[in-house]
């Protein structure tokens, strides 16, 4: 399976995982994986993220899952740039890239509704810092994959672990190929 397909599976897994919601309104005949429910205002329930997002957009629920904000993006960006050595990769939350995607989508939506200079600036800063953070981490992950940095994998997100495995496997195959030249 190709890396892109495996990354898509991570995204799909994130979308289907349960998230806690609180109902802001009564809702009759709510289809859930466990059956159809009648829910009252104030009830808390675990729903698949994709379903919670739809209900949240309709103003029916509030998702209790902690969101990523611009300040957190800036903090992670600053910490990663401050540590140039590959073995100084800073831990990110497991769903960091998925939550960053949600933040960008939210900013894009707000910009479409009512574009302001401040929203455009926020979007620009988030994009710049996310790209720099991802590129900095990618270079560190490649260096770690080439030097057997297994002990640092717990600091990587699931997506980064896939990249690490791919680079590590590619390097191993290449090294074996070169060694085979000398074996005859």
């Amino acid at each position: 399976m190709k890396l892109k397909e495996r990354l898509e599976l991570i995204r799909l897994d994130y979308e289907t995982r349960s998230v806690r919601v609180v109902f802001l309104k009564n809702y009759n005949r709510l289809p859930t994986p466990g059956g159809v429910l009648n829910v009252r205002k104030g009830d808390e329930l675990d729903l698949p993220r994709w379903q919670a997002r739809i209900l949240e957009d309709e103003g029916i629920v509030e998702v209790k899952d902690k969101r990523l904000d611009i300040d957190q993006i800036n903090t992670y960006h600053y910490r990663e740039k401050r540590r140039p050595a590959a073995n100084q990769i800073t831990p990110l939350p497991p769903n960091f890239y998925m939550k960053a995607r949600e933040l960008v989508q939210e900013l894009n939506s707000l910009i479409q509704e009512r574009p302001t200079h401040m929203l455009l600036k926020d979007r620009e800063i988030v994009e710049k810092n996310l790209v720099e953070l991802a590129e900095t981490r990618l270079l560190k992950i490649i260096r770690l994959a080439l030097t057997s940095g297994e002990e640092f994998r717990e600091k990587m997100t699931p997506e980064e672990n896939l990249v690490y495995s791919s680079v590590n496997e590619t390097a191993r195959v290449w090294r074996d190929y070169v060694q085979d030249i000398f074996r005859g």
Side-chain angles (χ1 to χ4, degrees), residues 41-112:
K41 179 180 178 179
D43 286 352
E44 288 192 23
L45 202 41
D46 290 329
L47 295 174
R49 187 176 303 278
W50 64 267
Q51 185 178 29
R53 188 175 296 118
I54 292 169
L55 293 171
E56 184 179 45
D57 289 346
E58 294 176 5
I60 296 169
V61 301
E62 176 185 321
V63 176
K64 304 274 286 197
D65 193 25
K66 193 173 179 184
R67 296 180 186 251
L68 195 59
D69 63 32
I70 296 167
D71 291 336
Q72 290 170 308
I73 299 272
N74 294 340
T75 299
Y76 289 123
H77 172 262
Y78 173 76
R79 285 182 188 160
E80 201 66 52
K81 294 294 269 187
R82 222 179 70 210
R83 297 183 171 156
N87 64 352
Q88 292 181 333
I89 193 166
T90 56
L92 292 177
N95 298 319
F96 177 80
Y97 293 104
M98 296 295 120
K99 290 184 179 209
R101 178 189 200 112
E102 290 173 347
L103 173 62
V104 170
Q105 288 171 339
E106 182 182 335
L107 286 170
N108 288 342
S109 182
L110 290 170
I111 289 168
Q112 278 187 335

Side-chain angles (χ1 to χ4, degrees), residues 110-123:
L110 290 170
I111 289 168
Q112 278 187 335
E113 289 173 19
R114 57 183 202 298
T116 65
H117 176 71
M118 187 61 130
L119 281 173
L120 292 168
K121 187 72 172 163
D122 285 350
R123 171 66 168 73

